[in-house]
């Protein structure tokens, strides 16, 4: 791949929902570029279009304006080169075991033989520390464990980019922090490229190597920030992001 071509390019992307009554503009002319091994975070308030952007990168929704390119090629459909991990715990097939959930996805999309799929599934299940639970069914697992299965399933496809939509938002605070640490150590091992959505500022700072700050609805790019490299920098960054996210409301309040 040409080193001057970004892995993913979102270029002037406006996304709209057309309902019989309304035209909802979710994002307006959003630009960003993701390079291999980036941990790129979309951060913004509820309703600013983060999930919609992820859907569009996933190929589930076409921009009304602008283009999305993966390795220079226009994204028009979903594909195994972009795997999604959702917030919900019910994204696994309940009638399949942990291993079967991963194997099924590999056989269906990557067209691996049964044996290859099983070997690869074992490898990634081990990476998320679930080998002992490989033959368990989803209802036997905690929320955090289910999310680890969803992550293993996504990673096993070895996509160009892993898309994560608030994957830890429904977890309790302690488990959430542990999952963030685990994601970081997984990343240290393989340096996969991830596009991570959150509305938590501390989570964005912890996970992201770069953070794209979106304005409230409709989402426009407010800033692109490099993440902190020390605890004091992290605190300073958190203050700066808070200021940028809330300054509009403050201006409004001061005008009243
Ligand atoms: N299927 C849909 N039909 C119509 N409008 C929609 C649909 N899905 C989302 N929207 C609207 O598009 C805008 C962006 O929604 P989106 O779900 O992308 O926001 P978000 O940033 O992911 O929010 P949250 O942090 O709450 O998940 C919102 O105004 C929402 O109401
Ligand atoms: Mg969302």
């Amino acid at each position: 791949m040409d080193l001057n071509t970004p892995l993913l390019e979102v270029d002037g992307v406006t996304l709209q929902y057309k309902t019989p009554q309304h035209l909802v503009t979710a994002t307006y002319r959003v630009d960003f570029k993701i390079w291999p091994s980036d941990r790129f975070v979309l951060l913004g308030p509820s309703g600013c279009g983060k999930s919609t952007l992820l859907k569009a990168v996933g190929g589930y929704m076409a921009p009304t304006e602008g283009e999305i390119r993966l390795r220079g090629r226009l994204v028009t459909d979903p594909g195994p080169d972009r795997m999604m991990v959702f917030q919900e715990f019910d994204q696994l097939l309940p009638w399949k075991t942990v291993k079967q959930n991963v194997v099924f996805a590999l056989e269906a999309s990557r067209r691996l033989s049964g044996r290859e799929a099983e070997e690869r599934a074992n490898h990634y299940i081990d990476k998320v520390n679930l080998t002992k639970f490989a033959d368990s069914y989803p209802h036997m697992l905690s929320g955090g464990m289910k999310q680890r299965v969803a992550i293993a399933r996504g990673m096993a496809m070895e996509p160009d980019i892993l898309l994560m939509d608030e994957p830890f938002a429904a977890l309790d605070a302690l488990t959430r922090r542990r999952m963030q640490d685990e994601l970081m150590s997984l990343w240290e091992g393989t340096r996969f490229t991830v596009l991570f959505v959150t509305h938590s500022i501390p989570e964005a700072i912890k996970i992201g190597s770069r953070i794209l700050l979106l304005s409230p609805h409709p989402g426009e790019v407010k800033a692109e920030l490099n993440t902190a490299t020390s605890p004091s920098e992290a605190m300073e960054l958190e203050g700066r992001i808070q200021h940028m996210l809330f300054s509009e409301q403050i201006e409004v309040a001061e005008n009243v």
Side-chain angles (χ1 to χ4, degrees):
M1 190 176 124
D2 179 359
L3 287 176
N4 295 315
T5 308
L7 180 66
L8 183 84
E9 215 169 344
V10 170
D11 190 3
V13 166
T14 299
L15 293 162
Q16 292 178 318
Y17 292 98
K18 293 185 183 82
T19 67
Q21 295 84 20
H22 301 288
L23 180 69
V24 181
T25 301
T27 68
Y28 186 70
R29 294 190 178 166
V30 169
D31 293 306
F32 60 89
K33 289 183 173 66
I34 298 183
W35 301 88
S37 299
D38 269 348
R39 299 185 311 275
F40 197 91
V41 172
L42 299 176
L43 173 66
S46 184
C48 76
K50 304 180 296 296
S51 296
T52 307
L53 267 170
L54 227 54
K55 268 189 243 170
V57 171
Y60 296 101
M61 185 172 172
T64 32
E65 191 182 16
E67 282 182 356
I68 301 174
R69 288 181 291 271
L70 184 75
R71 297 181 182 279
R73 272 180 289 116
L74 207 61
V75 166
T76 51
D77 296 300
D81 46 11
R82 286 148 291 140
M83 286 306 297
M84 187 96 84
V85 178
F86 296 98
Q87 173 180 343
E88 294 78 20
F89 295 158
D90 61 3
Q91 57 193 301
L92 306 173
L93 300 172
W95 60 89
K96 290 192 184 288
T97 64
V98 165
K99 193 196 283 184
Q100 287 164 351
N101 261 282
V102 181
V103 165
F104 175 75
L106 285 168
E107 286 179 342
S109 308
R110 280 290 186 209
R111 305 220 172 87
L112 295 187
S113 73
R115 218 184 109 205
E116 284 170 318
E118 186 148 338
E119 274 172 17
R120 204 191 284 186
N122 286 338
H123 175 75
Y124 284 95
I125 289 168
D126 185 50
K127 275 203 177 293
V128 297
N129 296 319
L130 283 178
T131 300
K132 274 199 267 177
F133 296 89
D135 297 320
S136 302
Y137 287 89
H139 76 269
M140 300 155 85
L141 307 177
S142 69
M145 289 158 88
K146 285 184 209 172
Q147 289 311 73
R148 274 155 48 199
V149 179
I151 292 170
R153 182 176 60 181
M155 287 186 71
M157 304 287 275
E158 297 179 350
D160 286 337
I161 184 163
L162 193 63
L163 311 173
M164 304 182 94
D165 194 356
E166 310 225 29
F168 309 144
L171 298 169
D172 64 87
L174 276 178
T175 312
R176 184 171 188 165
R177 224 178 292 167
R178 215 169 46 225
M179 294 289 293
Q180 292 165 350
D181 290 337
E182 279 183 18
L183 184 67
M184 294 305 283
S185 44
L186 269 177
W187 183 87
E188 289 295 339
T190 36
R191 307 212 159 218
F192 53 94
T193 313
V194 57
L195 173 53
F196 190 100
V197 161
T198 183
H199 58 243
S200 155
I201 300 175
E203 184 167 78
I205 292 174
K206 185 153 176 188
I207 299 290
S209 55
R210 282 189 301 137
I211 300 172
L212 192 81
L213 210 58
L214 294 167
S215 70
H217 175 77
E220 286 183 66
V221 174
K222 276 204 106 162
E224 191 177 322
L225 308 157
N226 288 322
T227 202
T229 52
S230 69
S232 64
E233 245 181 68
M235 270 177 67
E236 189 267 334
L237 183 61
E238 187 163 344
R240 232 167 66 211
I241 292 175
Q242 249 158 20
H243 181 76
M244 281 193 260
L245 280 178
F246 298 116
S247 57
E248 278 175 13
Q249 274 116 314
I250 293 164
E251 277 162 29
V252 172
E254 281 168 353
N255 288 338
V256 188

